[in-house]
């Protein structure tokens, strides 16, 4: 008998003219995906993490490339992320490449990785 994979979802928000999203406490789950709306102003979102919810650092892969999500104007997307690359992130937020032209809501999707 296999156990079902538990997933948890919630909202990330960008304020009007904001460049960083609200913060998500993953509660030691892994960020698995992000859903973006078609109305997003940004074309790129970078993942940031914190150990204390105060000091924020950009997340990089082992090869030195930054973890980013490319988004497209007028196109909603569900973007799967590398589970190993986000497994150690406790608090997360997204940093946009530019200011948002209006308040925006994105969805995050967490799962327990065993």
């Amino acid at each position: 008998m296999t156990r079902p994979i538990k997933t948890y979802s919630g909202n990330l928000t960008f304020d009007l003219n904001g460049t960083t999203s609200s913060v998500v406490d993953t509660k030691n789950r892994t960020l698995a995906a992000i859903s973006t709306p078609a109305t997003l102003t940004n074309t790129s979102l970078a993942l940031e993490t914190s150990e204390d919810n105060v000091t924020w650092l950009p997340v990089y892969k082992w090869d030195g490339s930054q973890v980013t999500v490319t988004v497209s104007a007028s196109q909603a997307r569900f973007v799967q992320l590398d589970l190993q690359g986000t497994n150690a992130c406790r608090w997360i937020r997204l940093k946009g490449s530019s200011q948002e032209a209006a308040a925006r809501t994105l969805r995050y999707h967490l799962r327990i990785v065993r």
Side-chain angles (χ1 to χ4, degrees):
M1 175 189 259
T2 60
R3 296 171 66 185
I5 296 173
K6 290 194 174 207
T7 59
Y8 306 87
S9 298
N11 291 334
L12 279 169
T13 57
F14 279 89
D15 292 333
L16 169 66
N17 296 324
T19 58
T20 55
S21 73
S22 57
V23 175
V24 175
D25 181 355
T26 67
K27 297 185 171 88
N28 295 320
R29 298 177 185 114
T30 299
L31 180 64
I34 297 170
S35 299
T36 63
T39 56
L40 209 57
T41 305
N42 280 286
T43 56
S44 178
L45 301 170
L47 184 65
E48 293 188 327
T49 189
S50 175
E51 295 177 2
D52 57 8
N53 198 17
V54 175
T55 304
W56 291 91
L57 300 169
V59 177
Y60 284 84
K61 299 176 191 174
W62 65 271
D63 65 359
S65 61
Q66 192 171 9
V67 176
T68 60
V69 175
T70 302
V71 293
S72 181
S74 302
Q75 185 179 35
R77 289 188 177 184
F78 180 89
V79 182
Q80 289 183 304
L81 301 173
D82 177 11
L83 296 176
Q84 292 177 337
T86 61
N87 199 28
C89 299
R90 171 66 192 266
W91 282 281
I92 57 167
R93 70 180 183 186
L94 298 173
K95 184 170 186 171
S97 55
S98 62
Q99 292 181 332
E100 278 302 317
R104 308 285 188 218
T105 301
L106 292 75
R107 297 281 293 164
Y108 66 86
H109 309 280
L110 306 173
R111 64 180 281 198
I112 297 172
V113 177
R114 301 185 200 276

